[in-house]
């Protein structure tokens, strides 16, 4: 083979290695798909323990793994002094397949020595995804009021570390998980309070269910609230309600439970939408939000 052909083949091989593929629902197939989306898009500070699949548990028998919403400087993963692995959901760089990104971060961290920085390529290429690496099950989410879990015991005694941690903690806005529905959260941002609920169903079915509720006047959390609209996140719909700032999260458990029950009664229907429901559907599509 000539030198020119060899160079051309080498360039083609490098392009193939970093070829990106877009996956619209990267967490599809995981038992807590909606919760993964909520932790990535809605929740500022939370953790959940992860269990490796049998293959990887045998390879790394003594390693604990914890999912975190975000890590220092949005690192993809880190290894604590005790050898435990933290893997971040909200990271600086990502490919078109978030599940592959996080799995690559996790596997790289498991192969990283304590005290070393975890190296993860921006485009990891084909390989194991979360669905391959984890023993699937419901996420046991712990909402955090601070990022102290980043550090080993005593590390915050360093004044520079303490100052950095304080700045990170100042960025956290009040957030509480609601028991009324899976992947539902109340949050209070500087000038508003919201209830946000990640729907687990396919987008078309979820939209039809919301349209039926909207047409019947049931898409409300009660007096003083407003259905603000919805946004898409990783292939799922997230309806959002504006709620009064002075009402605690617990006040929205019962109203959201009523919406949940009404939604579940409608979302499985295969009946065609009525003209009024179709108009409601178009109205919902016109009220799509951008999460800031």
């Amino acid at each position: 083979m000539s030198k020119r052909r060899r160079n051309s083949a080498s360039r083609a091989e490098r392009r193939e290695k970093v070829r990106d593929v877009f996956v619209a629902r990267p967490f599809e197939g995981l038992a807590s798909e909606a919760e993964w989306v909520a932790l990535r898009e809605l929740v500022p500070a939370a953790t959940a323990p992860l269990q490796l699949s049998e293959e990887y548990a045998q390879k790394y028998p003594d390693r604990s793994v914890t999912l975190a919403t975000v890590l220092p400087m949005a690192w993809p993963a880190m290894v604590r002094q005790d050898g435990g692995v933290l893997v971040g959901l909200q990271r600086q760089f990502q490919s078109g397949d978030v599940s592959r990104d996080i799995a690559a971060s996790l596997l790289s961290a498991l192969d990283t020595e304590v005290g070393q920085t975890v190296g993860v390529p921006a485009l990891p290429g084909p390989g194991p995804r979360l669905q391959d690496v984890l023993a699937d099950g419901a996420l046991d989410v712990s909402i955090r009021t601070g990022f102290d879990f980043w550090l080993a015991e005593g590390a915050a005694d360093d004044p520079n570390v303490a100052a950095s941690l304080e700045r990170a903690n100042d960025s956290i806005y009040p957030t509480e998980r609601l028991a009324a529905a899976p992947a539902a959260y109340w949050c209070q941002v500087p000038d508003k309070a919201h209830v946000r609920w990640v729907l687990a169903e396919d987008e078309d079915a979820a939209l039809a269910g919301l349209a039926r509720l909207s047409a019947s006047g049931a898409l409300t959390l009660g007096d003083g609230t407003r259905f603000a609209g919805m946004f898409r996140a990783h292939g799922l719909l997230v309806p959002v309600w504006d709620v009064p700032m002075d009402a605690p999260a617990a006040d929205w458990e019962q109203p959201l439970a009523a919406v949940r029950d009404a939604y579940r009664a409608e979302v499985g229907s295969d009946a065609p939408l009525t003209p009024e429901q179709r108009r409601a559907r178009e109205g919902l599509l016109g009220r799509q939000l951008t999460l800031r």
Side-chain angles (χ1 to χ4, degrees):
M1 182 184 295
S2 68
K3 182 176 180 181
R4 178 178 295 179
R5 292 182 62 187
R6 286 197 303 271
N7 290 341
S8 177
S10 177
R11 286 194 297 271
E13 184 180 357
R14 288 197 297 271
R15 283 196 300 270
E16 179 64 24
K17 286 181 179 178
V18 299
R19 182 173 59 89
D20 198 8
V21 176
F22 177 70
V23 178
R25 285 179 65 176
F27 305 114
E28 185 175 15
L30 295 173
S32 294
E33 178 187 7
E35 201 69 69
W36 281 86
V37 173
L39 293 181
R40 182 169 166 85
E41 299 296 331
L42 306 181
V43 182
T47 59
L50 299 177
Q51 184 175 347
L52 297 174
S53 66
E54 184 176 355
E55 174 188 354
Y56 292 96
Q58 290 178 355
K59 187 175 180 181
Y60 305 99
D62 301 321
R63 305 299 293 276
S64 66
V65 179
T66 301
L67 179 70
T69 48
V70 67
L71 296 176
M73 295 183 289
W75 290 341
M78 60 185 289
V79 181
R80 291 180 40 161
Q81 290 300 314
D82 61 5
V85 168
L86 291 174
V87 60
L89 264 176
Q90 302 168 18
R91 49 182 285 179
Q92 289 181 323
F93 304 105
Q94 65 186 47
S95 72
D97 184 358
V98 176
S99 175
R100 170 63 183 138
D101 292 341
I102 300 170
S105 301
L106 170 55
L107 294 177
S108 294
L110 289 169
D111 286 329
T112 299
E113 297 289 335
V114 171
Q116 300 298 312
T117 301
V118 179
V120 180
L123 296 178
R129 307 174 72 241
L130 289 172
Q131 292 82 343
D132 306 310
V133 172
L134 299 180
D136 194 20
L139 289 177
D140 182 14
V141 177
S142 297
I143 299 295
R144 303 285 187 162
T145 57
F147 291 112
D148 305 74
F149 64 87
W150 286 348
L151 307 176
E153 186 175 353
D157 294 341
D158 182 320
N160 293 325
V161 172
S164 177
L165 187 63
E166 183 178 2
R167 287 193 297 271
N169 288 342
D170 286 344
S171 70
I172 298 175
Y173 51 81
T175 301
E176 294 189 33
R177 195 181 188 198
L178 298 177
Y185 290 84
W186 169 91
C187 69
Q188 190 177 69
V189 292
D191 57 350
K192 288 184 178 180
H194 304 290
V195 170
R196 301 164 171 171
W197 179 22
V198 182
L199 303 179
E201 291 75 22
D202 176 83
E203 184 177 322
D204 290 339
L207 181 57
L210 293 176
R212 291 186 173 96
L213 294 192
S214 181
S216 67
L219 195 58
T220 177
L221 296 183
D223 294 341
T225 72
R226 182 180 73 93
F227 178 72
M230 63 184 185
F231 62 91
R232 291 180 172 89
H234 302 294
L236 300 182
L237 290 184
V238 186
V240 178
W241 291 265
D242 293 338
V243 297
M245 287 277 289
D246 56 355
D251 284 6
W252 309 112
E253 294 283 10
Q254 186 173 346
L256 183 61
V259 173
R260 175 204 65 202
D261 291 344
Y263 172 78
R264 287 177 177 172
E266 296 287 5
V267 73
S269 173
D270 57 2
L273 295 179
T274 66
E276 184 180 7
Q277 290 167 345
R278 288 198 297 272
R279 286 193 294 272
R281 182 181 184 276
E282 293 306 310
L284 290 172
L285 288 172
R287 297 175 70 180
Q288 294 189 61
L289 305 173
T290 299
L291 187 63
R292 298 185 185 278

